[in-house]
Amino acid sequence: MKLGRLRLLLALDVLLMEGSVSRAAERLGMSTPAMSRLLGQIRETYDDPIFIRSSRRLIPTPFAESIRQRLRAVAAEAEALFQSRQSVSGGVTIDPALWSGEPVIEAAPLTSRPSILLEGEPLPEAFARKLSVLGNAEDARKRLAKHIATAGAGIGNSRPLTITEAEDALSIILEGRADPVQVGALLSVMNFRGETAAELAGLVRAVRSHIRAADPATSPVDLDWPAYISPKSRRMPWFLQSALLLAGARYRILLHGSDGGGNTKGMLVSAARALGIPICASITAAMNAIAEHGIAYLPVAAMSSQVHRLLSLYGLFETRSPINSVMPLLNPLSAPSSMMGVVRPAYRELHRDAGVLLGYGDMTVLGTSRDAAEATPFRSSTLLRLSAGTTEDLFVPAVPEPKAYPLTGMTSLEYWRAVWTGTVRDERATTIICATAAIALLTLSGGKAGPLEVCQATAEGLWETRRKDVRIGTGMLCPAVKQT
């Protein structure tokens, strides 16, 4: 191995421990620009971003997490070689070979030992011993305490949770066996540090198990369409009309989500009811509605009151929690394709990476102002996709924005429905609806439908056909039905 490459490994080990270029540079006694250059060389060597920048810290990519333990082992061994002969007071040299023996407990692979320890400062082994005792406890609260300590014990003593640990932690909460203080502690620690793809995948597994998600082999759905509206959103849900358009083309669509709170409470339910989309009170009812009508809306409370209450903690935290990140990836009926909107830019790639870990095949992540998949055709954007499990980015250029129309004396809900029925012609709304439907068609095809432009033409044809059906009096593609 070349000497320079070993230097890169040691630098990456410190970067993973610190989660910050400046702190890593300080620990290694070099300048921040020099550490940034090393990070650039590491990225070039592995052909991987290594870190994704969030608002607070650097979030390791799944690849970086996969080599973390091996790097820690290399760094620990290198440090041990330089500390193989220790001097004590009196000038007597101790030969470690004469004093060696079996360790009482091995240090955890991910712990770190500072070069200089203050007098009385506990060693990493002591912290590892504490976590080991907690981890072996049958008491669920003690086990959850271990996970909280693992993720939030501070620099040098903490690390991200593995998929299994994250799944176990959230499972304890969903089963109602956690202390309320522990719930807030875990969610706050993970949110402040920023979830990793492995943690997010583990949390999704826990929720899917809790709600008893459908078997992928027998999924009754073609496309999963999460719709978790921000409490601050005031935009009309045009994406519901895109979903209904696809349902009329014989695609089976599951919409699931929540309306947030405040003034937006009930927006999705009201809009779905206005177009006759079945609103279901259970997963079984949603499956029956899809079999009969091709589309259904499943509120999160119908899947799990426990998950619904966790989402409602937003009012207490006044900030998002990892549960908000879980919901777009939930896919309760295990559809082979899914399309989601993700608000925070750093989390879009995180969701795709988590989708890879979860084994999802065809998936599209859109950048939106709310957690619902709706196209933004009037500004350029990049679609982060999984096509048969392979990642790809698709740039979508902006199109000219038509003039917005006034409500002409109607309520916003009346105007929204009038666009669907053809009573009102709104080119801006139509562009959003067709662009969203086109991305959904591309997702459903797994990239086999050709370029996005082909899907756009198909979507526009579906919209025009719907309008002709309305004009000749044959009714909507999905007529009003009795709510399930």
Side-chain angles (χ1 to χ4, degrees):
M1 175 188 292
K2 294 182 179 179
L3 183 60
R5 290 192 174 184
L6 181 59
R7 185 169 179 244
L8 295 180
L9 293 179
L10 297 178
L12 179 53
D13 173 64
V14 176
L15 283 166
L16 286 170
M17 285 193 295
E18 296 291 347
S20 165
V21 173
S22 59
R23 290 199 301 268
E26 182 179 355
R27 171 171 284 201
L28 291 180
M30 63 172 59
S31 67
T32 299
M35 178 57 72
S36 296
R37 288 193 294 271
L38 285 178
L39 178 55
Q41 294 175 35
I42 293 168
R43 285 170 167 162
E44 183 177 353
T45 299
Y46 285 111
D47 191 23
D48 185 85
I50 302 299
F51 294 102
I52 300 171
R53 184 171 295 279
S54 70
S55 58
R56 297 185 181 91
R57 68 188 301 273
L58 297 176
I59 301 175
T61 63
F63 170 76
E65 288 292 349
S66 70
I67 64 174
R68 180 193 287 263
Q69 295 192 31
R70 296 171 63 190
L71 287 170
R72 186 85 290 274
V74 170
E77 180 62 21
E79 186 173 345
L81 288 173
F82 281 101
Q83 297 179 346
S84 61
R85 300 184 66 84
Q86 300 285 346
S87 295
V88 297
S89 59
V92 179
T93 300
I94 296 177
D95 186 350
L98 300 178
W99 294 79
S100 63
E102 291 296 325
V104 175
I105 184 172
E106 295 286 353
L110 302 186
T111 57
S112 62
R113 185 192 301 276
S115 299
I116 300 176
L117 292 172
L118 299 177
E119 184 177 356
E121 182 179 352
L123 297 173
E125 286 85 344
F127 188 75
R129 186 181 298 109
K130 173 184 176 181
L131 293 184
S132 178
V133 172
L134 291 173
N136 294 330
E138 294 183 3
D139 188 336
R141 292 187 180 184
K142 289 185 178 180
R143 204 165 72 248
L144 181 55
K146 173 204 171 184
H147 298 318
I148 296 171
T150 298
I155 296 174
N157 285 328
S158 65
R159 61 166 173 82
L161 301 179
T162 65
I163 290 182
T164 303
E165 289 169 340
E167 181 178 4
D168 183 51
L170 187 54
S171 295
I172 292 171
I173 294 174
L174 293 174
E175 292 165 5
R177 296 191 289 166
D179 184 274
V181 174
Q182 290 181 308
V183 176
L186 179 70
L187 297 181
S188 296
V189 164
M190 293 183 70
N191 182 57
F192 181 80
R193 183 175 48 75
E195 308 97 284
T196 66
E199 287 175 325
L200 185 54
L203 298 179
V204 173
R205 285 184 182 179
V207 179
R208 282 179 55 82
S209 176
H210 173 70
I211 66 172
R212 298 179 182 178
D215 184 350
T218 58
S219 174
V221 184
D222 297 315
L223 180 66
D224 182 72
W225 201 318
Y228 292 83
I229 301 300
S230 166
K232 299 178 182 179
S233 175
R234 299 295 181 270
R235 295 174 56 193
M236 295 186 189
W238 298 115
F239 65 90
L240 287 182
Q241 298 194 17
S242 304
L244 191 56
L245 199 64
L246 266 63
R250 302 294 183 267
Y251 289 105
R252 299 168 299 173
I253 311 294
L254 174 67
L255 296 152
H256 58 92
S258 66
D259 294 308
N263 294 331
T264 62
K265 188 174 183 180
M267 175 188 288
L268 292 182
V269 171
S270 298
R273 184 176 288 119
L275 293 187
I277 297 176
I279 302 166
C280 304
S282 68
I283 290 180
T284 301
M287 295 172 69
N288 294 336
I290 289 171
E292 183 176 355
H293 305 289
I295 191 169
Y297 173 69
L298 183 65
V300 64
M303 292 186 280
S304 167
S305 60
Q306 191 79 327
V307 175
H308 181 257
R309 284 193 288 267
L310 287 174
L311 283 173
S312 300
L313 291 176
Y314 181 92
L316 297 178
F317 294 165
E318 205 54 45
T319 186
R320 297 164 61 89
S321 79
I323 305 302
N324 294 92
S325 300
V326 165
M327 305 315 293
L329 289 161
L330 186 55
N331 196 358
L333 294 187
S334 302
S337 302
S338 59
M339 185 170 74
M340 65 194 69
V342 177
V343 175
R344 294 184 284 186
Y347 276 64
R348 293 165 195 161
E349 191 165 352
L350 180 71
H351 277 70
R352 182 172 64 178
D353 291 340
V356 172
L357 295 176
L358 290 165
Y360 291 171
D362 297 308
M363 187 173 83
T364 301
V365 181
L366 294 79
T368 61
S369 61
R370 56 187 176 185
D371 286 340
E374 182 175 283
T376 54
F378 312 122
R379 69 170 187 262
S380 59
S381 61
T382 300
L383 304 178
L384 275 63
R385 304 194 59 244
L386 282 179
S387 181
T390 302
T391 61
E392 62 180 31
D393 295 345
L394 178 62
F395 177 76
V396 182
V399 300
E401 184 172 3
K403 179 181 177 181
Y405 291 83
L407 298 181
T408 62
M410 301 179 181
T411 66
S412 58
L413 179 60
E414 290 172 340
Y415 185 89
W416 181 82
R417 187 178 185 278
V419 171
W420 173 261
T421 60
T423 304
V424 170
R425 181 179 178 86
D426 188 326
E427 293 182 11
R428 184 180 185 278
T430 301
T431 302
I432 295 173
I433 294 167
C434 291
T436 303
I439 296 173
L441 288 168
L442 184 68
T443 305
L444 281 160
S445 70
K448 297 177 182 178
L452 183 59
E453 292 79 7
V454 175
C455 296
Q456 179 73 29
T458 302
E460 292 171 357
L462 291 174
W463 179 259
E464 290 301 320
T465 302
R466 171 212 59 82
R467 292 192 62 204
K468 290 177 181 178
D469 288 344
V470 172
R471 283 198 298 270
I472 63 176
T474 58
M476 294 183 291
L477 289 173
C478 183
V481 297
K482 181 179 180 181
Q483 303 304 320
T484 305

